[in-house]
Amino acid sequence: MRFLFRLFLLLLVVGLTIQVIPYGREHDNPLTVKEIEWDSPETRALAAGACMDCHSNLTSWPWYTNVAPISWLTTRDVEEGRAVLNFSEWQRPQEADLASLDNVIREGEMPPIQYRLLHANARLTGTERDQLEAGIRKSWESDPPGP
């Protein structure tokens, strides 16, 4: 019992100490320069629920994204997501291509499990996943990214 109490105190001290590390608390949402022209409001709604927190400049930053180490993971995921594909900066070339985007949606790799656990609207059914994939494909083909 004494061991568990000491372990609890140690975890508490470590948890409080890591809060002073500044990384992960600078939450910014740059201005949207040019959003993709969605094929339908339904596609945009599906993308907003499942993709746009990491793949746009419209990120929602809940309170827990200010608590380390969650803040570190969230910031990293958003930075990496925006670098690969950003629906709010459609005027620039995107690192992702349409085929890889189709694949990660179809295979259920996106959104990642840690995001789905905390966001019910990101838990897409098979039908919603098919709709999102088809809608993004149509949107991309009618309004390709980049110059």
Side-chain angles (χ1 to χ4, degrees):
M1 190 62 146
R2 192 173 210 174
F3 171 76
L4 290 177
F5 180 71
R6 287 183 180 176
L7 180 62
F8 171 76
L9 284 179
L10 176 65
L11 292 175
L12 182 64
V13 169
V14 169
L16 291 173
T17 303
I18 65 174
Q19 300 311 309
V20 300
I21 299 172
Y23 177 74
R25 293 206 184 89
E26 292 296 321
H27 300 147
D28 67 328
N29 282 336
L31 292 176
T32 295
V33 179
K34 180 187 182 303
E35 187 171 322
I36 185 174
E37 292 181 24
W38 299 100
D39 73 314
S40 69
E42 292 80 15
T43 300
R44 189 185 191 288
L46 286 170
C51 311
M52 291 177 71
D53 265 348
C54 292
H55 295 287
S56 79
N57 295 345
L58 304 173
T59 304
S60 170
W61 298 100
W63 67 268
Y64 54 82
T65 62
N66 290 306
V67 179
I70 296 169
S71 60
W72 307 339
L73 301 171
T74 305
T75 299
R76 184 204 62 202
D77 286 351
V78 170
E79 288 173 354
E80 289 177 2
R82 287 177 179 171
V84 172
L85 176 70
N86 191 330
F87 291 118
S88 295
E89 295 182 7
W90 209 242
Q91 79 288 353
R92 69 171 176 82
Q94 302 295 318
E95 187 177 308
D97 61 12
L98 184 54
S100 63
L101 190 55
D102 280 347
N103 190 48
V104 296
I105 294 170
R106 187 179 317 109
E107 298 299 321
E109 295 173 24
M110 286 289 159
I113 186 72
Q114 68 271 21
Y115 186 80
R116 286 179 285 177
L117 288 173
L118 295 172
H119 300 87
N121 54 353
R123 295 181 207 129
L124 302 176
T125 65
T127 302
E128 289 172 329
R129 190 177 312 285
D130 293 344
Q131 289 172 335
L132 179 61
E133 180 186 350
I136 288 178
R137 188 179 319 107
K138 287 180 191 174
S139 301
W140 187 300
E141 289 171 349
S142 68
D143 182 24

